[in-house]
Amino acid sequence: MKRVLSGIQPSGNLHLGNYFGALRQWLQLQNDHECFFFLADLHSLTTVRNGDELRSLTLEAAITYLACGLDPAKSVLFRQSDVSYHTDLAWILSTIIPKGLMERAHSYKDKVAKGISATVGLFTYPVLMAADILLYRTDLVPVGKDQKQHVEIARDIAEKFHHLYDEAFVLPEPYIPEDVAVIPGTDGQKMSKSYHNTIPIFTDETQLMKTVMGIVTDSTGVDEKKVPEGNIVYELYKLVAPAQSDEMAAKFREGGYGYGDAKKDLLSGLKHFLEPIWEERRKIEARKGYVEEVLDDGAHKAQAEAEMVMAKVRGLVGI
Ligand code: ADP
Ligand code: TRP
């Protein structure tokens, strides 16, 4: 049994890229491993500038975790800001990290290029992420490919700490199944809230239809034969309706099956896939106070776990 930890920034509504790139792996891992999943609200402070908005986005992400099937009886679910050891450890780690290591991290440059303010917090974001991971003696970190470098940085930082002081951490590894490394968005780029190309997990049927009909396709005519692989409609269908995807591939290859038809099939596949998650959300919302209860309980468990590593670290560094 391994120790697994991951988190998502609650800075927007979660989408199918988050589901297939991260949450689905979490759902599988929670059955056989000791799992900690959190809402990275401290990380979201780098982009969300309104307290009420962040509080409500964090709650929304917690509902999404639960509705997708994360089970508080199997996993510890918590809010990052409820365990103040994250920021304590981040500071200590920041004092041993060479500045050059942070400068090599590509996500800072990517984010600034997308228009996010170039703050010190955004620059040192990987330090806080390393603290998240190392506090829980994490073996495996299930994330999408874009986060791989951050997990490697956490590992480098742990090694550096061990070299300077003594053993305190477990060296983490990223967990990234190849087939879900990058989920395409409606325009073919990586699905991401910053590209406005997402299919949100929670939406209504009209909006879902508009989003699917807006998926970018090439200009191959209805009658022509088509290559399914690499086609966004097919790639998404394969994820939401794996049992029927061979059938769609065959229809594309035969010809006489247009993108309009394929989008209708994708839409019905998506509804079938999302409806149970929507239903679960309705049940969760009917239980007043349930989400807060789960997060409070998770915070206690996470706190107790993080405390052990933190005590060791404080002892080693002399505070
Ligand atoms: P976004 O790009 O929408 O801001 P985040 O960076 O908050 O998403 O991602 C949260 C988690 O979901 C991370 O583990 C990330 O790797 C994963 N993820 C997000 N989008 C995708 C995608 N298109 N394909 C694969 N994984 C993704
Ligand atoms: N940086 C991650 C993202 O943007 C979120 C995150 C913060 C995280 N701390 C983490 C993921 C620790 C895994 C482990 O998606």
Side-chain angles (χ1 to χ4, degrees):
M1 187 174 329
K2 300 235 170 173
R3 171 66 60 86
V4 173
L5 171 133
S6 193
I8 294 181
Q9 290 189 73
S11 29
N13 289 335
L14 302 191
H15 51 74
L16 291 184
N18 300 134
Y19 184 90
F20 290 105
L23 280 169
R24 191 175 62 169
Q25 283 65 259
W26 303 5
L27 294 173
Q28 289 161 354
L29 289 164
Q30 73 172 348
N31 294 321
D32 314 304
H33 298 284
E34 204 181 356
C35 293
F36 287 76
F37 298 117
F38 66 98
L39 305 147
D41 58 346
L42 293 173
H43 280 101
S44 290
L45 288 175
T46 57
T47 50
V48 183
R49 301 291 181 210
N50 176 304
D52 288 336
E53 188 190 351
L54 182 56
R55 256 184 297 278
S56 108
L57 284 169
T58 305
L59 217 53
E60 175 65 28
I63 293 172
T64 309
Y65 280 14
L66 291 165
C68 287
L70 286 181
D71 179 354
K74 296 180 181 167
S75 302
V76 177
L77 306 178
F78 69 104
R79 192 168 18 212
Q80 185 186 28
S81 61
D82 282 342
V83 183
S84 54
Y85 296 132
H86 291 245
T87 41
D88 291 355
L89 182 61
W91 171 255
I92 296 173
L93 297 178
S94 78
T95 64
I96 63 160
I97 299 169
K99 192 159 157 274
L101 179 66
M102 284 300 101
E103 275 156 2
R104 284 198 293 280
H106 39 66
S107 103
Y108 173 76
K109 278 168 249 153
D110 294 350
K111 288 187 173 178
V112 173
K114 281 186 210 158
I116 297 176
S117 312
T119 58
V120 174
L122 190 70
F123 183 66
T124 58
Y125 179 113
V127 183
L128 181 57
M129 182 157 163
D132 300 337
I133 296 170
L134 299 178
L135 262 182
Y136 296 89
R137 300 182 182 278
T138 307
D139 299 301
L140 290 181
V141 186
V143 281
K145 209 174 190 166
D146 56 314
Q147 296 294 321
K148 184 165 181 249
Q149 192 189 26
H150 290 155
V151 182
E152 289 162 357
I153 290 176
R155 202 184 159 91
D156 289 350
I157 297 174
E159 282 178 326
K160 171 106 188 178
F161 186 94
H162 292 167
H163 181 71
L164 286 172
Y165 294 100
D166 201 353
E167 297 281 318
F169 305 121
V170 167
L171 300 184
E173 280 180 41
Y175 176 85
I176 309 174
E178 241 341 282
D179 59 326
V180 291
V182 183
I183 312 302
T186 53
D187 59 356
Q189 292 190 80
K190 174 197 162 214
M191 187 180 289
S192 168
K193 55 186 171 288
S194 13
Y195 300 148
H196 306 288
N197 65 354
T198 67
I199 302 180
I201 297 172
F202 295 109
T203 175
D204 57 54
E205 292 204 11
T206 319
Q207 192 50 48
L208 187 62
M209 186 180 74
K210 280 193 196 151
T211 309
V212 169
M213 293 306 159
I215 291 176
V216 174
T217 51
D218 60 38
S219 56
T220 322
V222 175
D223 294 334
E224 290 178 63
K225 298 182 175 179
K226 301 174 188 64
V227 181
E229 289 79 17
N231 181 305
I232 309 166
V233 179
Y234 172 70
E235 294 299 338
L236 291 173
Y237 192 68
K238 221 164 48 170
L239 292 168
V240 297
Q244 284 92 46
S245 66
D246 283 350
E247 210 178 301
M248 179 183 274
K251 287 198 237 167
F252 267 133
R253 288 200 187 92
E254 263 164 40
Y257 180 66
Y259 289 124
D261 304 318
K263 285 178 179 177
K264 278 189 203 135
D265 287 339
L266 173 61
L267 183 63
S268 95
L270 274 167
K271 280 190 204 156
H272 193 74
F273 174 79
L274 292 171
E275 187 48 55
I277 300 178
W278 295 353
E279 174 59 26
E280 201 49 41
R281 181 190 184 116
R282 288 190 279 273
K283 286 192 205 151
I284 291 165
E285 284 179 332
R287 295 174 69 179
K288 276 265 160 287
Y290 173 65
V291 181
E292 277 303 337
E293 230 172 76
V294 168
L295 293 181
D296 284 351
D297 181 50
H300 283 113
K301 292 180 180 152
Q303 173 95 14
E305 195 57 43
E307 202 167 285
M308 291 189 274
V309 171
M310 205 56 210
K312 171 107 193 177
V313 169
R314 290 177 69 104
L316 286 171
V317 301
I319 57 169

